[in-house]
Amino acid sequence: MRFCYLLLIDLLIVSNYSLAQDRPISKKTFHLTFAEKVGSPHYFIEHRELRRPRIGLALSGGGARALAQVGVLLALEENNIPIDFIAGTSMGSVIGGLYAAGYSARQLMDITKNIPWGELMVDTPPRTALFIAQKAERDRSYLQIRFNGLKPYIPPALTPGQKLITILTDLTMRANYRASANFDNLRIPFRAVTTDLFSGKEVVIADGELAEAMRASVAFPLLLAPMPRDSMLLVDGGLLNNIPVSVARSQNTGLVIAVDATSKLRDRTQLNAPWEIADQVTSIMQRRHNEAQRRAADVLIMLETEERTSTDFSNLDSLFAAGYRATLAQIEKLRTALQRNSHSEDTASHGEENLITFEHVYLNGGTDHSQTNHADGHKGIGTEMQTSESWIISMLENYYLTGNYADVRALWFEELSKNYLHITLTPNPILRSVGFSGNTVFADSALKARLLSPIGQPINHKQSRADLEAVIELYRGAGYALAEIRDVQFDATNGNLTIDIDEGYIAEIKIEGAQRTKPLVILREFPLKIGDIFDSDRSARGIQNIHSLGLFDRVALNVTRRARERGVRGARINEPTAIVHIKLQEKPFQIARIGMRYDRERFGRVWFEIGDENALGLASNLILHGTVGTRENGAALYWRADRLFTTYLSFSAQTRYRYAKHYTYDRGGDDNGEYEDERFGFFFSLGQQVRRFGAVSAELDLSNIQLRGISGSGYATGRETINTLTFRSVVDTQDRVPFARHGRYVQLAYSMAFRQLQSGSSFFKFYARLESTTTLRKRHTLHPRIIAGTSDQTTPFSEQFRIGGQEEMYGLREQELIGRHFILMSLEYRYRFPTKFLFDTYLSPRIDFGAVWRDKNDVNYKKFSRGIGIALGWDTPLGPMLIAVGKAQRFANRVYFSLGYRF
């Protein structure tokens, strides 16, 4: 209606000239060429985009070098070069996919600098995500092999890529735009280029889960495991198309910008690992195809970072700067190409355009009050103006691109051989009020505070899009990853705007890929339930919990939307529509483990385990364990469930046998007695997990013990049965063992034991251990510790406390001091060398202070001894290797050596 009114004004103006002068001649009406209409849910009101050549961007692979493409995006942003389509290969797909999902170039700089690139190949869950029993299991592991039946399982790559898919999923969940199963729904339409290992063909992914598409595109053979999709097995797109110009060209793009971050061939010093050789082979095979793709681009941006290898992720700022500089060097060429492709049909036929001199140029409907007001109510923006038809079109485009107008056009007419130009701008309707529906997380006031569109002023297209994005950013920042603008309704009669929000209520949770594992095992670890609003933080914790079970190579999340129920709008504001797909790839559950340790006290020991990690599909362990050593041997069959059904109760049961040879020592540290300790019995434990950092339990140990003397004296011999009930509490937040950097360890245990010997007297024991680890400036670690124990006077020799050795008190041999009461305090400082000597290397001085008493009458401070020592340690694949020397008061100097985990 408003447009018709303004058009009538234009006609009246022409008519007035006709009455006052001889008949004017209308020569031409200028208007813009529009493409498709766009509106809800991305804009307040529907409007039309200008028709122009679609610009495609082809981002290449190249590993770390490809991160320079973030600098390319920054330069394009700052020079207002629009991007209408992105195709990405390998690392280019990660950069392109995240950019298409709504991240800016500067946000990508921060993101890429915070990704732990050096740790992506380590897919084991963090120790802090494990239950107490799982932590103990990992702390002694060395080598494990899985079996499919009786056949060893060989992994397809160095890592399954779980850490990478977790990072990508988190980033896509927090992005402003979600693919919603189609990559054309992103801020910029996107395609990820991959290769199908089965057919050997290029596969361009245009739908599904964005994180999985990016992960598939970077799945370099031997390094990252392939990604299954439908009937395909997808790997790095760089095997066939490392600079995807052809993909960008196929999407109706008029201009393609190609970015080449590929590296030259490696030299002989860089061909050490199998994946480095595979990368070299791929680069050789791609050379001719890459050159053809470079020639096919309209504008080519070459990233010259000769000194940078594809695995060097250090100093990323220099990479960004290199990409930025390379793009600025091509900006003029890019602008020329854009101008060459941007001529509209109105001006293309003019060839060499003639300049037109206008007596007056009038503006109607504009908001620029700086222009001169004329008596007829119009604004004169020029007199005696000399210009061309293409300039007029360009001027109209500039007006329209401000976002303030629904339509712009110009009328050129001639009167008495003089030219006049009348420009008519149709403003957008005025915004008078804003309301919201569907929001329960944030109040209307909080959402309105995100809007910058002024009330009482015409709507601006650009600002309306930014406002809607700001609303979604508020939800994303709080973790509500599925929140989206469902609909935007504007009532032009009263200027009222209503924004309808779908906050992402979960309608269904589906489990895919779990063949043996029971659904309850998976769902109990996933904190979100049907009817909850989807929360990316809680879902990420759930994915980590599921992966920490140790049963799956890959745990991924995919979210789709079900069709909403039809009916009156607003009838079901919070209708759940989100379907959460938990996608799993199970490991083989039959496992064999082996570990070893050598030290100067017990010499060589080996342990092994065989069993099933997922007995009955309930994530329970049924394991046969054996130990063989110079001074000890043992065997055990145990069943352990870290969680019983959907509770946090834990249970374990064992039948076990152990034989060990021990020594007693005189004051000089020389052995003066030798005896054998042989035990057989049963063990039961029922406990309660305290999240992932602790547990409380009640334990019943039924043991038949026989001590046999070989030489010396000072210990009792014979056979007896001791039944012990222990109440134990453990808190363990250490990030790693050994060489912990952060965390705490606390254990408290109280035991009541009943002896079936002679009088059958009972006894008690209490044990406490507290230690803390804090690392400062990455290399300096402080580790204080206190351990203490006390027991009854009737506690038999076989159950008394034993301390000594490099791990407990310097200057003593292992288990050198034996008694019913003890206390031990230590303070260790550990320094991690900046340079690796084959492995991470540590220097650790420590001071110990403690004593052991046979009975309470012996307790006095005079028995306290001070030990001091220093150790040099290496974190090797076989376990920690330690060389140490220590001295204790009244004891001889000791030299220690050990290799392997303690068990």
Side-chain angles (χ1 to χ4, degrees):
M1 192 68 180
R2 187 180 183 91
F3 172 71
C4 295
Y5 173 72
L6 293 173
L7 182 59
L8 181 59
I9 292 177
D10 291 342
L11 296 176
L12 289 174
I13 292 170
V14 177
S15 299
N16 289 338
Y17 275 97
S18 298
L19 294 174
Q21 309 285 342
D22 290 337
R23 183 183 304 164
I25 302 172
S26 178
K27 300 191 70 172
K28 189 168 187 178
T29 300
F30 297 90
H31 55 81
L32 300 179
T33 304
F34 293 102
E36 70 280 355
K37 290 185 178 181
V38 292
S40 179
H42 300 302
Y43 298 89
F44 287 178
I45 56 175
E46 188 176 71
H47 77 286
R48 295 169 294 175
E49 297 283 0
L50 289 176
R51 178 171 292 164
R52 57 172 175 77
R54 279 169 49 85
I55 301 174
L57 182 63
L59 300 179
S60 77
R65 291 166 54 92
L67 295 181
Q69 294 173 124
V70 178
V72 172
L73 295 172
L74 179 62
L76 294 176
E77 283 182 359
E78 292 182 350
N79 286 274
N80 298 315
I81 305 299
I83 301 299
D84 302 291
F85 177 82
I86 299 176
T89 294
S90 196
M91 187 67 80
S93 76
V94 175
I95 300 302
L98 294 177
Y99 191 72
Y103 290 104
S104 68
R106 292 200 178 276
Q107 285 176 317
L108 288 179
M109 288 181 178
D110 293 334
I111 288 170
T112 52
K113 285 192 286 189
N114 288 325
I115 292 177
W117 298 102
E119 300 175 11
L120 292 184
M121 297 300 105
V122 180
D123 257 350
T124 53
R127 188 177 184 275
T128 52
L130 304 179
F131 289 119
I132 293 295
Q134 291 177 300
K135 292 174 182 178
E137 186 176 82
R138 179 188 289 190
D139 294 346
R140 57 181 173 78
S141 292
Y142 166 45
L143 174 67
Q144 65 179 21
I145 301 173
R146 295 183 179 274
F147 291 86
N148 276 323
L150 298 177
K151 184 178 179 181
Y153 168 72
I154 301 175
L158 179 66
T159 173
Q162 178 64 37
K163 185 168 289 187
L164 179 57
I165 191 65
T166 298
I167 290 173
L168 294 177
T169 298
D170 182 65
L171 289 171
T172 55
M173 286 289 181
R174 296 180 186 278
N176 284 348
Y177 288 80
R178 280 194 54 78
S180 298
N182 189 325
F183 296 170
D184 287 339
N185 295 330
L186 297 169
R187 180 184 64 171
I188 302 171
F190 170 73
R191 300 291 184 271
V193 182
T194 66
T195 304
D196 178 22
L197 280 181
F198 294 144
S199 67
K201 295 179 180 179
E202 176 182 295
V203 176
V204 179
I205 304 178
D207 54 27
E209 188 63 26
L210 179 60
E212 291 188 10
M214 294 187 291
R215 163 65 179 83
S217 188
V218 298
F220 191 79
L222 301 181
L223 198 59
L224 281 171
M227 282 287 290
R229 178 184 169 95
D230 300 328
S231 60
M232 301 176 291
L233 195 60
L234 302 180
V235 294
D236 197 330
L239 296 181
L240 295 177
N241 194 353
N242 211 18
I243 311 174
V245 174
S246 58
V247 178
R249 186 73 72 190
S250 69
Q251 297 297 312
N252 193 29
T253 51
L255 181 72
V256 175
I257 305 168
V259 187
D260 182 6
T262 59
S263 56
K264 294 184 177 180
L265 296 180
R266 298 170 180 264
D267 61 37
R268 65 180 61 196
T269 64
Q270 298 172 324
L271 292 173
N272 301 309
W275 44 89
E276 292 175 342
I277 296 173
D279 182 42
Q280 185 85 329
V281 172
T282 302
S283 298
I284 293 171
M285 296 171 61
Q286 274 287 309
R287 293 169 75 178
R288 183 173 298 178
H289 181 76
N290 286 349
E291 186 56 39
Q293 294 291 287
R294 295 186 191 103
R295 291 194 301 268
D298 296 290
V299 177
L300 176 64
I301 299 174
M302 293 285 293
L303 301 178
E304 300 296 337
T305 54
E306 299 299 332
E307 73 288 352
R308 177 80 63 159
T309 66
S310 60
T311 57
D312 182 2
F313 289 92
S314 63
N315 191 17
L316 295 186
D317 284 330
S318 65
L319 272 176
F320 304 150
Y324 187 82
R325 290 193 304 267
T327 307
L328 292 183
Q330 298 294 323
I331 284 294
E332 289 307 316
K333 181 178 180 180
L334 181 54
R335 293 193 191 281
T336 301
L338 286 173
Q339 292 173 0
R340 186 169 59 246
N341 287 274
S342 296
H343 288 301
S344 68
E345 295 179 0
D346 291 329
T347 60
S349 61
H350 288 279
E352 291 291 333
E353 289 192 285
N354 296 319
L355 295 178
I356 308 164
T357 301
F358 290 102
E359 181 69 16
H360 284 286
V361 179
Y362 296 99
L363 174 66
N364 181 61
T367 58
D368 187 353
H369 301 291
S370 66
Q371 308 301 337
T372 303
N373 289 309
H374 288 257
D376 59 5
H378 297 80
K379 298 170 186 172
I381 63 171
T383 57
E384 297 292 339
M385 182 179 290
Q386 191 177 58
T387 186
S388 64
E389 294 188 22
S390 62
W391 182 89
I392 295 172
I393 293 295
S394 177
M395 179 180 60
L396 294 179
E397 288 179 347
N398 290 335
Y399 273 119
Y400 190 76
L401 289 174
T402 63
N404 293 317
Y405 305 106
D407 191 32
V408 298
R409 59 184 61 228
L411 177 64
W412 169 20
F413 58 91
E414 180 184 353
E415 182 67 39
L416 297 178
S417 301
K418 292 183 179 181
N419 295 307
Y420 300 87
L421 184 67
H422 186 82
I423 303 168
T424 301
L425 308 179
T426 306
N428 288 324
I430 294 175
L431 177 65
R432 300 197 181 278
S433 67
V434 179
F436 294 89
S437 64
N439 54 305
T440 61
V441 176
F442 297 106
D444 285 10
S445 58
L447 299 178
K448 287 180 181 179
R450 306 289 292 184
L451 308 182
L452 298 181
S453 294
I455 302 298
Q457 296 293 324
I459 292 172
N460 180 284
H461 295 141
K462 291 184 176 180
Q463 187 59 55
S464 72
R465 178 165 184 163
D467 284 349
L468 294 173
E469 289 179 350
V471 169
I472 295 304
E473 281 182 359
L474 180 64
Y475 276 92
R476 296 287 190 271
Y480 300 106
L482 298 188
E484 62 181 25
I485 305 297
R486 179 162 42 197
D487 192 18
V488 179
Q489 294 288 331
F490 179 76
D491 189 342
T493 60
N494 56 24
N496 294 333
L497 178 75
T498 302
I499 302 172
D500 187 21
I501 299 174
D502 182 346
E503 294 183 320
Y505 284 83
I506 299 174
E508 189 176 358
I509 299 176
K510 292 185 176 181
I511 299 171
E512 302 172 12
Q515 298 177 0
R516 181 174 172 187
T517 310
K518 303 295 184 184
L520 70 88
V521 172
I522 298 155
L523 293 176
R524 76 188 183 192
E525 303 296 340
F526 195 68
L528 292 171
K529 309 302 177 187
I530 293 174
D532 291 347
I533 300 177
F534 185 88
D535 183 324
S536 60
D537 295 326
R538 294 174 67 193
S539 72
R541 187 167 68 250
I543 293 303
Q544 184 181 74
N545 290 346
I546 296 170
H547 186 238
S548 297
L549 292 172
L551 307 178
F552 308 102
D553 275 329
R554 181 173 62 91
V555 183
L557 198 69
N558 190 3
V559 181
T560 58
R561 298 267 188 177
R562 67 165 51 159
R564 297 180 179 89
E565 293 183 4
R566 296 187 176 183
V568 179
R569 182 177 176 271
R572 293 195 65 191
I573 291 178
N574 296 322
E575 174 193 347
T577 60
I579 302 176
V580 177
H581 303 258
I582 302 174
K583 305 172 72 173
L584 308 168
Q585 183 176 327
E586 287 184 331
K587 296 178 179 179
F589 301 125
Q590 287 72 41
I591 193 166
R593 299 190 187 99
I594 188 171
M596 56 78 63
R597 177 178 171 87
Y598 176 86
D599 59 55
R600 293 190 64 191
E601 291 286 341
R602 295 181 176 273
F603 307 109
R605 284 175 289 162
V606 177
W607 66 267
F608 63 88
E609 291 180 343
I610 57 173
D612 191 317
E613 284 191 315
N614 194 13
L616 304 177
L618 296 174
S620 57
N621 291 255
L622 182 61
I623 302 293
L624 176 64
H625 173 92
T627 302
V628 178
T630 305
R631 287 175 49 180
E632 61 185 280
N633 297 283
L637 176 65
Y638 69 87
W639 178 68
R640 189 190 85 229
D642 294 319
R643 291 188 65 177
L644 288 174
F645 302 105
T646 59
T647 72
Y648 276 92
L649 294 175
S650 62
F651 177 79
S652 66
Q654 295 185 38
T655 176
R656 57 193 184 186
Y657 167 81
R658 192 190 72 177
Y659 167 85
K661 183 181 292 187
H662 298 290
Y663 295 92
T664 58
Y665 302 94
D666 61 21
R667 207 59 175 163
D670 296 323
D671 58 272
N672 60 1
E674 180 180 357
Y675 64 94
E676 296 175 333
D677 184 333
E678 188 175 22
R679 301 173 181 232
F680 176 81
F682 302 92
F683 175 87
F684 305 92
S685 172
L686 180 64
Q688 171 75 40
Q689 304 285 3
V690 182
R691 296 185 183 177
R692 303 266 165 170
F693 62 79
V696 292
S697 61
E699 304 167 0
L700 180 62
D701 186 347
L702 310 175
S703 294
N704 184 276
I705 304 170
Q706 180 170 4
L707 292 184
R708 288 188 291 266
I710 299 176
S711 64
S713 61
Y715 48 84
T717 60
R719 181 186 296 273
E720 67 177 321
T721 298
I722 300 179
N723 300 326
T724 306
L725 178 63
T726 300
F727 299 95
R728 191 183 310 274
S729 172
V730 178
V731 172
D732 184 354
T733 63
Q734 294 179 110
D735 60 339
R736 53 182 296 182
V737 171
F739 307 121
R741 296 170 185 170
H742 299 282
R744 307 287 183 270
Y745 183 87
V746 178
Q747 182 181 170
L748 302 175
Y750 179 80
S751 301
M752 297 180 293
F754 304 91
R755 303 170 65 187
Q756 295 181 6
L757 179 70
Q758 298 171 353
S759 64
S761 59
S762 62
F763 62 91
F764 79 89
K765 292 174 64 177
F766 177 77
Y767 174 86
R769 181 187 185 103
L770 301 90
E771 54 186 295
S772 172
T773 308
T774 304
T775 296
L776 306 173
R777 303 183 67 177
K778 297 183 179 181
R779 303 196 177 280
H780 307 276
T781 301
L782 290 177
H783 177 210
R785 176 184 63 178
I786 180 169
I787 312 172
T790 186
S791 63
D792 261 351
Q793 195 67 23
T794 57
T795 304
F797 176 80
S798 63
E799 305 304 302
Q800 292 177 15
F801 298 108
R802 291 160 169 78
I803 69 168
Q806 188 268 324
E807 296 287 342
E808 293 180 341
M809 189 166 182
Y810 274 122
L812 303 182
R813 301 184 67 169
E814 188 173 334
Q815 298 186 4
E816 183 167 341
L817 301 182
I818 304 175
R820 296 183 176 88
H821 316 276
F822 84 99
I823 187 169
L824 176 64
M825 295 172 285
S826 301
L827 178 61
E828 178 186 36
Y829 164 76
R830 186 167 65 244
Y831 174 73
R832 181 166 64 92
F833 287 90
T835 302
K836 290 185 178 182
F837 300 96
L838 296 179
F839 314 105
D840 283 340
T841 305
Y842 302 86
L843 185 66
S844 307
R846 192 184 79 218
I847 184 169
D848 305 315
F849 190 66
V852 176
W853 302 277
R854 285 296 178 98
D855 58 59
K856 61 183 179 181
N857 296 324
D858 292 335
V859 176
N860 66 75
Y861 70 93
K862 294 182 180 181
K863 290 285 187 78
F864 275 91
S865 295
R866 183 182 67 249
I868 188 169
I870 188 169
L872 188 63
W874 292 267
D875 193 5
T876 79
L878 300 179
M881 183 170 73
L882 295 167
I883 300 175
V885 59
K887 174 72 171 69
Q889 288 177 300
R890 301 184 296 275
F891 292 90
N893 294 335
R894 292 286 171 198
V895 176
Y896 305 92
F897 173 81
S898 64
L899 173 63
Y901 297 99
R902 298 190 71 184
F903 60 89

